[in-house]
Amino acid sequence: MITLDYRNADSAILGDENGLRLEEEFACYKDKIANIIVDLNKRKDKLGQWLQWMNLGYNEETLWYVKEYAAMVQGRFDNILVLGIGGSALGGIAVTEALLKPFWNLLTQEQRNGFPRIFFLDNIDPDYMKSLLDTLDLSKTLVNVITKSGSTAETMSQFMIVKNILEEELGDNYRYNIVATTDKKTGILRQIAEQEGYKTFVVPDDVGGRFSVFSAVGLLPFALVGIDIDEIVNGIKDMDLALKNTDIKENIAAQNALIHYLMDVKKGKNLCVMMPYSSRLRYVSDWFVQLWAESLGKNKDKDGNEVHVGPTPIRALGATDQHSQIQLYNEGPNNKLINFIRVEEFDTTLEIPQIYEYTGIGYLGGKTVNQLINAEADSTRVTLADYGRPSVTIRLPKVNGYFVGQLLYMLEVQTAIAGELYNIDTFNQPGVEQAKNYTYALMGRAGYEESAHMLNEKMAKI
Ligand code: PA5
């Protein structure tokens, strides 16, 4: 199992000004945490609670359909192109980057064991899009368009552009190059998919975008490029079992949620840095940033009080950002809690040759880069503690499907528990919807005329 080391958040190491008396806090919050865990597990099967993501590890049916489709199309496409944004893309990017061989798209087909390359278009920069679309042979590309609402402007405009090119190139057969992942009944994409005869997968009810990585949203692209989705699911299930433990001393998601919450409300550490010491895990930080920000950044609590809460998540990468952000973290405002992710065993052991023995770099010779990266993780953690800066370390035995499944699921549960501690609605995103609606209005969508008028008036002034 992955583990959590929270010693560097404790006052025994940091002192009382910046550290927490964790033994005492765990005792004090014991019942509250136990109640939250029981309550989440009780509510998870009820409709309207947005907790269906807690059941995704047990969705045998989706697993079966995803594997069946992936097997059916295997060998037919050179590329997978995923169209989606936010929760419909970030989990896919994080997991494929973690689990595929690094530089996957540069490998030969043989090196990829016959599986396709994978590209995610999660933005609408015209130069970037055009360049990718010009580069890919779309006739040999399977396009997975993912949108829960079926109407997100970015995704749907990408879809319209790609669909047109496909139709021009393939005539009526273009439909076999599109697979849509969307709501089972509602939304424009569902309607189009049914009218035009696309293969479809479902974003389940009561699963928000940022919690959807283990639905078909993520599982389908993973299976299409040959990632073992059973291994991921086994990791989720084992972690789910561990996190059902109501004893905070045994539950790492509850521990980390409480530490983050208390660091924010008691010690003023309202910035939260996610810093894996692993390039393969770098996009887990992007995924986490959305999860933490959209879930916890809320202006009202559940009782309707104005609260404006939410720690600001920041992404960093070890060791790279030791040479960029760490100066600030050590000596700037003491307002951050750093989450290190440390990998115990890398797939490869890379030795540094014993050359330049009699120079200042001679000490590196004969060591491994593996030793170096973990020595850097240790030295950064200790330096931060010397400066009185709190950190926690999540340890992954290896980067594989089992542990990556555990890690992401653990962070999801941690977010849900943190939301309960802040007493906010973790699963809504009115701030995102507001911006989406303004975009619809500015782009002339029917039904948004009043908003468009109001926006144009506002924009004339500012
Ligand atoms: O987490 C969320 O709900 C959002 O980030 C959505 O995933 C994002 O806005 C994309 O929405 P949709 O999947 O409806 O296109």
Side-chain angles (χ1 to χ4, degrees), residues 147-150 181-187 190 201-205:
T147 161
K148 181 176 174 62
S149 60
T181 308
T182 189
D183 189 84
K184 71 170 179 295
K185 280 201 207 114
T186 62
R190 169 59 60 187
F201 284 87
V202 168
V203 186
D205 290 343

Side-chain angles (χ1 to χ4, degrees), residues 36 39-56 205-208 211 409 412 416-417 420 426-427:
I36 290 174
D39 180 56
L40 286 172
N41 281 288
K42 226 191 253 168
R43 284 196 285 133
K44 78 181 166 63
D45 295 317
K46 289 196 191 141
L47 275 185
Q49 299 292 314
W50 292 90
L51 287 166
Q52 276 301 317
W53 55 271
M54 295 179 79
N55 293 324
L56 293 175
D205 290 343
D206 280 351
V207 176
F211 288 88
Y409 187 72
E412 287 180 339
I417 297 174
E420 295 303 311
T426 314
F427 304 107

Side-chain angles (χ1 to χ4, degrees), residues 15 37 80-81 161 232 262 284 306 310 321 331 355 365 408 423-424 436 439:
I37 295 167
I80 306 298
L81 173 60
I161 292 168
I232 297 179
L262 293 176
V284 168
E306 205 156 317
D321 284 317
E331 294 195 345
I355 51 178
L408 268 55
N423 189 34
I424 45 99
K436 278 191 181 184
T439 305

Side-chain angles (χ1 to χ4, degrees), residues 205-226:
D205 290 343
D206 280 351
V207 176
R210 56 191 176 275
F211 288 88
S212 68
V213 56
F214 299 127
S215 70
V217 168
L219 294 182
L220 179 62
F222 306 157
L224 289 169
V225 289

Side-chain angles (χ1 to χ4, degrees), residues 23 85 90 107 121 130 132 142 170 193 199 296 435 443 452 454:
E23 277 295 309
I85 197 163
L90 288 163
L107 303 179
L121 255 190
K130 174 90 171 74
L132 180 64
L142 178 63
L170 298 171
K199 173 76 186 169
L296 302 182
M443 295 298 284
M454 181 268 293

Side-chain angles (χ1 to χ4, degrees), residues 360-375:
I361 56 171
Y363 72 97
L364 291 168
K367 312 272 174 34
T368 64
V369 176
N370 309 51
Q371 286 171 293
L372 181 59
I373 195 165
N374 279 336

Side-chain angles (χ1 to χ4, degrees), residues 85-88 147-149 152 155 209-210 290 294 429 432 436:
I85 197 163
S88 291
T147 161
K148 181 176 174 62
S149 60
T152 302
T155 308
R210 56 191 176 275
Q290 187 213 14
E294 265 188 19
Q429 55 282 323
V432 179
K436 278 191 181 184

